[in-house]
Amino acid sequence: MKTILVTGGTGFIGSHTCVELLNDNYNIVIIDDFSNSKPEVAEKIMKITNKKVKLYEGNVCDTELLTKIFKENQIDAVIHFAGYKAVGESVAKPLMYYRNNIDSTLTLLEVMSDNNCKKIVFSSSATVYGNPERLPLDESCHLSATNPYGATKLYIEGILKDLYISDNEWSIAVLRYFNPVGAHESGLIGENPNGIPNNLVPYIVKVANKELPELNIFGNDYNTPDGTGVRDYIHVVDLARGHVKSVEKIFEESGIDYYNLGTGKGYSVLDLVKTFESVNNIKIPYKIVARRKGDVAACFASTNHAKEKLNWEATLTLEDMLRSAYLYSKVIKKGY
């Protein structure tokens, strides 16, 4: 059994990926500083899978801790999720984003090199496409950044490319996510950000649960069918399965490759609101407010490359995503 180090493994995408890895008979080791997650998530991962998880608390920028993890465990590959991820916050606090996201990756790659572990799946983002040159976006599209968060992902992609050029023993999969939503069918893990959510679906859920009075929709004058922003939303379980396929790929061959993980369909903010209302039988009050800095009108994926090279495609629907997200919120409210 191969052992995968999962940085940020108690976070939203990380926790679901840990479940899928364990279900696929990998061992996992997690490092997380719980800046946007909770330690009990590890217990829930173990409850869902009935398998052991080894958890280290700390920041991936900590060379000493990472070295300790590699000395205490035979790590075969790494999935690197750890990083700050809020677009708006990155515009307000760019230095915090550059320091954490880039420093953690450099530290991780150095420690991996020192321990002759040269297989990594990197959690990138569709934000590296900047203002899309064409839709659907494919992996050959022009890359740019419209905010510091996206810039950190773009710089890290460049670091990984340079690393592979310098040493082609490395095997690197760069996954450009679109918009992950939903929760595990058990209702035990899902998206539960600290504070006011930066992402749309957790915000809708908090409005549904009357924790927030109404949903703010940032702009309704975009060049889209209903004027609100259009995005490619993907169920987090589909996304997690894409990571397992990527891990298989990096064990098969060395090289660096890039994969869009999305559904290939675009849904507007109002599409999400209406679908959420329909599948959960609840009304979501909203108001239109000013656009957010750094947002683009529309962004959705071409997923042909992932289908061809990873033998992966999304299978869960928007209804599945929004039903599971609301179920998870109700489980949290019961205190599980």
Side-chain angles (χ1 to χ4, degrees), residues 27-59:
N27 289 320
I28 60 169
V29 176
I30 295 173
I31 175 173
D32 207 307
D33 66 358
F34 311 123
S35 58
N36 199 30
S37 65
K38 294 179 174 66
E40 52 263 33
V41 172
E43 293 164 27
K44 292 176 181 179
I45 293 167
M46 290 189 276
K47 186 172 182 182
I48 292 167
T49 61
N50 200 29
K51 292 183 178 178
K52 284 273 185 218
V53 170
K54 198 166 182 183
L55 175 64
Y56 292 84
E57 180 175 358
N59 192 288

Side-chain angles (χ1 to χ4, degrees), residues 283-336:
K283 197 77 185 152
I284 302 297
Y286 66 83
K287 68 176 178 185
I288 308 297
V289 298
R291 292 183 181 191
R292 282 188 305 196
K293 286 181 183 176
D295 276 350
V296 296
C299 185
F300 55 93
S302 165
T303 58
N304 294 339
H305 186 60
K307 185 176 181 181
E308 181 188 337
K309 295 289 187 182
L310 299 178
N311 191 29
W312 170 91
E313 62 183 324
T315 59
L316 296 164
T317 65
L318 187 65
E319 288 79 5
D320 294 328
M321 300 175 211
L322 298 177
R323 194 180 292 112
S324 64
Y326 190 44
L327 167 68
Y328 171 65
S329 77
K330 290 193 280 192
V331 172
I332 292 175
K333 285 189 86 172
K334 288 176 183 170
Y336 293 120

Side-chain angles (χ1 to χ4, degrees), residues 204-225:
I204 291 174
V205 166
K206 284 192 181 289
V207 173
N209 288 328
K210 297 189 165 40
E211 294 170 48
L212 293 169
E214 60 191 353
L215 172 69
N216 289 329
I217 295 179
F218 297 101
N220 66 343
D221 57 352
Y222 286 105
N223 184 21
T224 61

Side-chain angles (χ1 to χ4, degrees), residues 164-292:
Y164 176 69
I165 290 168
S166 75
D167 178 359
N168 54 27
E169 287 183 5
W170 279 84
S171 186
I172 301 166
V174 175
L175 307 186
R176 294 171 179 160
Y177 309 163
F178 282 68
N179 291 61
V181 297
H184 191 266
E185 63 185 1
S186 65
L188 288 174
I189 56 173
E191 191 168 14
N192 187 24
N194 298 331
I196 293 178
N198 290 293
N199 296 332
L200 177 60
V201 172
Y203 207 112
I204 291 174
V205 166
K206 284 192 181 289
V207 173
N209 288 328
K210 297 189 165 40
E211 294 170 48
L212 293 169
E214 60 191 353
L215 172 69
N216 289 329
I217 295 179
F218 297 101
N220 66 343
D221 57 352
Y222 286 105
N223 184 21
T224 61
D226 62 22
T228 63
V230 167
R231 297 290 182 271
D232 188 334
Y233 295 91
I234 176 173
H235 199 298
V236 66
V237 172
D238 274 333
L239 184 59
R241 290 170 182 158
H243 286 78
V244 176
K245 290 290 190 181
S246 302
V247 168
E248 289 172 14
K249 191 71 174 172
I250 61 173
F251 280 115
E252 285 172 9
E253 59 191 50
S254 62
I256 182 168
D257 208 347
Y258 307 84
Y259 306 96
N260 287 340
L261 297 188
T263 62
K265 302 187 187 87
Y267 297 100
S268 74
V269 176
L270 288 176
D271 286 335
L272 256 76
V273 171
K274 289 169 188 167
T275 305
F276 188 96
E277 289 179 334
S278 170
V279 298
N280 295 308
N281 194 28
I282 191 165
K283 197 77 185 152
I284 302 297
Y286 66 83
K287 68 176 178 185
I288 308 297
V289 298
R291 292 183 181 191
R292 282 188 305 196

Side-chain angles (χ1 to χ4, degrees), residues 15-36:
S15 59
H16 288 82
T17 299
C18 286
V19 166
E20 297 303 319
L21 286 167
L22 289 165
N23 286 343
D24 217 44
N25 290 319
Y26 291 94
N27 289 320
I28 60 169
V29 176
I30 295 173
I31 175 173
D32 207 307
D33 66 358
F34 311 123
S35 58
N36 199 30

Side-chain angles (χ1 to χ4, degrees), residues 83-92 97 101 147-150 197-199:
Y84 298 148
K85 62 172 191 170
V87 169
E89 185 181 53
S90 80
V91 174
Y97 271 67
N101 293 7
N147 54 70
Y149 163 69
N198 290 293
N199 296 332

